[in-house]
Amino acid sequence: MNAEPPLWRTIHAALARDLAEGAFPPGTPLPAERTLAARFGCAIGTVRRAVDELVAARALVRRQGRGTFVPDLGGDAAAADRTQFYFFHIARADGLRETPRTEMLDFASPLPCPEEHAGPLGLAPGAPMHRAQNLQHLQERPVMVEELWLPESLFPGLDAAGFAGREGTVYGLFQRRFGISVLRTEERLRAEAAAPDIAALLGLPPAHPVLRIRRVAYAIGDRPVELRLSWADTRAHEYFNRLD
Amino acid sequence: MNAEPPLWRTIHAALARDLAEGAFPPGTPLPAERTLAARFGCAIGTVRRAVDELVAARALVRRQGRGTFVPDLGGDAAAADRTQFYFFHIARADGLRETPRTEMLDFASPLPCPEEHAGPLGLAPGAPMHRAQNLQHLQERPVMVEELWLPESLFPGLDAAGFAGREGTVYGLFQRRFGISVLRTEERLRAEAAAPDIAALLGLPPAHPVLRIRRVAYAIGDRPVELRLSWADTRAHEYFNRLD
DNA sequence: TTCGATTTGTTCGTATGTATT
DNA sequence: TAATACATACGAACAAATCGA
């Protein structure tokens, strides 16, 4: 008849809503599974099923003996590295993945949202945005130019000093300062001839082929929070993608 | 002391081994969960946990009321489409994903394994291989040149007629005829200037930037089974990648 | 160092619901 | 309709990891 959703799915949705609201800051554990089971009036196995889904979606991590946590994207060096390598896909042609060094080139705000960025971010054209430009280095050589577009409404008060002075990754900053946990991204890649400014920054001959990446980053609830354009020099590096 | 693995992991390994040997052909169900539980001498929940892992890895699919199956990569049109879109990442710039039309350009066998392909495939340089060349069309326009390298030892007797005359996808052919289920791939992308032959096939100006993709496909047990080089025209199309 | 409390991880068994044949 | 198979939900017991007294 009605086909109501399974109980574990209802609980999953309730937890996801709480997570989206930042109800559980990273570093402090969620209520224990028994506690949640009592709160939802269900068996512990049902809670576990709901949490399993959130763990699979990288929204939560479990630690035996300690509790269940929102992943800390910038906790220690190891956590920062995991985040880095999960979202940073440029590797040396021989397969080695190194941690890049980031050099900030520019930070401008507010800028009106360009027409072509409004749709993917769910914004009105002209909405106020921050724009940051970075140069990523591997082995002290520039390999990728990045242009980040961030809605001012989601990142209020962010400025050049706050952006450049962060500790850890950009997504760690999103989480710590604005309570935004990036869970997934969509990337579209194409080959194009390098524009003069890009070629100059990367030390490329004019119009040399570069890999252009357009990324949209999403937080819980598939809310788009960032649009990022990148141009990579793929003479000695490649974009690495593993599909499971 | 010893820290033996959990029971469900042992069962998972046993099932994965059986799957790698082709013990369960697509279309016929695995033994029911109760049967497996009895065979392994454990509770049904433990079997479910092991199967859960294989389902997550796309090695199995469950169908309520019917049973658990090895996915049929070329069963009906819908299954073929799912396989297609899981492994075919070229989409129109507006985001629309269409089914490509494949035109075979060449099939050569045996050819000695090139030096640079031997390592990724776990072969000795010079080992006999098949090489197929395809041209992929979207909306009746050529968008990607493909070069497939297949170890003869894994695909014995494959020839041009068998390759071109297949029904459905290439990976469906691998599975039906050779019992090889491709589960995951690794791809490395770079931008480069189109070689003359590539440019001619794609209708590009000489040395126009193209997206080069180098894919290694893996079956159960992380066994590499195919190396594929592709060159895509990204003037009107893009490589689409969703990271969860 | 030891011990106990807490929390997640594993395994068991059972009952009932839903989809398919 | 009946039988079969997976899906959901419950509850219990013990193991393993963690942390603080």
Side-chain angles (χ1 to χ4, degrees), chain A residues 58 86 89 95 184-191 193 209-212 234 238-244, chain B residues 86 89 95 184-193 209-212 234 238-244:
Chain A
R58 294 166 36 90
Y86 194 83
H89 290 151
R184 72 173 188 91
T185 61
E186 284 183 1
E187 299 191 326
R188 297 161 185 273
L189 289 78
R190 53 171 50 186
V210 289
L211 185 64
R212 195 198 76 150
T234 56
E238 291 173 318
Y239 177 95
F240 182 86
N241 187 22
R242 175 184 164 133
L243 293 126
D244 289 304
Chain B
Y86 194 81
H89 291 153
R184 72 173 189 91
T185 61
E186 284 182 2
E187 299 192 326
R188 297 161 185 274
L189 288 78
R190 53 173 48 187
E192 63 181 30
V210 289
L211 185 64
R212 195 198 77 152
T234 56
E238 291 173 318
Y239 178 95
F240 182 86
N241 186 22
R242 175 182 164 135
L243 293 126
D244 289 303

Side-chain angles (χ1 to χ4, degrees), chain A residues 125-140:
Chain A
M129 301 195 79
H130 310 298
R131 189 195 66 191
Q133 291 176 322
N134 287 333
L135 187 55
Q136 298 283 6
H137 300 256
L138 288 173
Q139 295 179 309
E140 297 308 317

Side-chain angles (χ1 to χ4, degrees), chain B:
Chain B
M1 287 278 276
N2 50 2
E4 56 189 26
L7 180 51
W8 68 264
R9 195 168 281 284
T10 307
I11 296 172
H12 171 273
L15 290 175
R17 194 193 57 240
D18 290 346
L19 290 171
E21 293 170 356
F24 309 111
T28 66
L30 263 69
E33 293 174 344
R34 276 190 183 77
T35 310
L36 288 174
R39 178 177 305 174
F40 289 112
C42 70
I44 190 174
T46 307
V47 168
R48 281 189 67 83
R49 176 66 200 269
V51 173
D52 281 345
E53 297 288 314
L54 293 162
V55 169
R58 293 166 37 89
L60 291 175
V61 293
R62 290 200 234 245
R63 302 198 204 178
Q64 185 176 166
R66 295 188 57 194
T68 303
F69 301 81
V70 173
D72 189 341
L73 299 184
D76 50 13
D81 263 20
R82 277 195 303 277
T83 306
Q84 190 69 259
F85 288 136
Y86 194 81
F87 292 114
F88 184 79
H89 291 153
I90 302 297
R92 239 164 54 186
D94 62 14
L96 184 66
R97 305 185 75 168
E98 322 159 60
T99 302
R101 180 176 68 81
T102 304
E103 172 192 357
M104 191 180 84
L105 300 175
D106 182 58
F107 189 97
S109 178
L111 291 178
C113 180
E115 184 82 34
E116 69 271 22
H117 296 354
L121 287 170
L123 296 175
M129 302 194 79
H130 310 299
R131 189 195 65 189
Q133 290 176 324
N134 287 333
L135 187 55
Q136 299 282 5
H137 300 259
L138 289 173
Q139 295 178 309
E140 296 309 317
R141 293 176 50 85
V143 295
M144 187 160 70
V145 179
E146 291 180 336
E147 186 176 286
L148 284 67
W149 290 85
L150 309 173
E152 193 183 45
S153 56
L154 293 177
F155 303 93
L158 183 61
D159 56 13
F163 185 81
R166 70 182 179 278
E167 292 186 8
T169 67
V170 172
Y171 291 167
L173 171 73
F174 289 4
Q175 182 185 78
R176 281 195 309 278
R177 183 155 161 201
F178 303 99
I180 292 174
S181 292
V182 170
L183 292 187
R184 72 173 189 91
T185 61
E186 284 182 2
E187 299 192 326
R188 297 161 185 274
L189 288 78
R190 53 173 48 187
E192 63 181 30
D197 53 339
I198 303 290
L201 286 166
L202 294 176
L204 286 170
H208 192 276
V210 289
L211 185 64
R212 195 198 77 152
I213 308 166
R214 177 173 160 282
R215 168 193 293 182
V216 180
Y218 297 86
I220 287 188
D222 271 357
R223 180 173 53 145
V225 297
E226 178 206 57
L227 192 144
R228 184 184 297 204
L229 296 176
S230 305
W231 294 267
D233 171 10
T234 56
R235 290 176 301 181
H237 297 82
E238 291 173 318
Y239 178 95
F240 182 86
N241 186 22
R242 175 182 164 135
L243 293 126
D244 289 303

Side-chain angles (χ1 to χ4, degrees), chain A residues 8-239:
Chain A
W8 69 264
R9 194 168 283 284
T10 307
I11 296 172
H12 171 272
L15 291 175
R17 194 193 57 239
D18 290 346
L19 289 171
E21 293 170 357
F24 309 110
T28 66
L30 264 68
E33 293 172 345
R34 277 188 181 77
T35 310
L36 288 174
R39 179 177 306 175
F40 289 113
C42 69
I44 191 174
T46 307
V47 168
R48 283 187 68 82
R49 176 66 199 270
V51 173
D52 281 345
E53 298 288 314
L54 292 162
V55 169
R58 294 166 36 90
L60 291 175
V61 293
R62 290 202 236 242
R63 301 195 203 179
Q64 186 177 163
R66 296 188 54 194
T68 304
F69 301 81
V70 173
D72 190 339
L73 300 183
D76 49 13
D81 263 19
R82 278 195 303 277
T83 307
Q84 190 69 259
F85 287 136
Y86 194 83
F87 292 113
F88 184 80
H89 290 151
I90 302 297
R92 239 164 55 186
D94 62 15
L96 184 66
R97 305 185 74 169
E98 322 159 60
T99 302
R101 180 176 69 81
T102 303
E103 172 192 357
M104 192 179 86
L105 301 174
D106 183 57
F107 189 98
S109 178
L111 291 179
C113 180
E115 184 82 36
E116 68 272 22
H117 297 353
L121 287 171
L123 295 175
M129 301 195 79
H130 310 298
R131 189 195 66 191
Q133 291 176 322
N134 287 333
L135 187 55
Q136 298 283 6
H137 300 256
L138 288 173
Q139 295 179 309
E140 297 308 317
R141 293 177 49 84
V143 295
M144 185 160 72
V145 180
E146 292 180 336
E147 186 175 286
L148 284 67
W149 290 84
L150 309 171
E152 193 183 44
S153 57
L154 293 177
F155 303 92
L158 183 61
D159 57 14
F163 185 81
R166 72 182 178 279
E167 292 187 7
T169 68
V170 172
Y171 291 166
L173 172 73
F174 290 4
Q175 182 186 78
R176 282 195 309 277
R177 184 155 160 201
F178 303 99
I180 292 174
S181 293
V182 170
L183 292 187
R184 72 173 188 91
T185 61
E186 284 183 1
E187 299 191 326
R188 297 161 185 273
L189 289 78
R190 53 171 50 186
E192 64 181 30
D197 53 340
I198 302 292
L201 286 166
L202 294 175
L204 286 170
H208 192 277
V210 289
L211 185 64
R212 195 198 76 150
I213 308 166
R214 176 174 161 282
R215 168 193 294 182
V216 180
Y218 298 85
I220 288 188
D222 270 359
R223 181 173 52 145
V225 297
E226 178 207 58
L227 192 143
R228 184 184 299 205
L229 296 176
S230 305
W231 294 266
D233 171 10
T234 56
R235 290 176 301 182
H237 297 81
E238 291 173 318
Y239 177 95

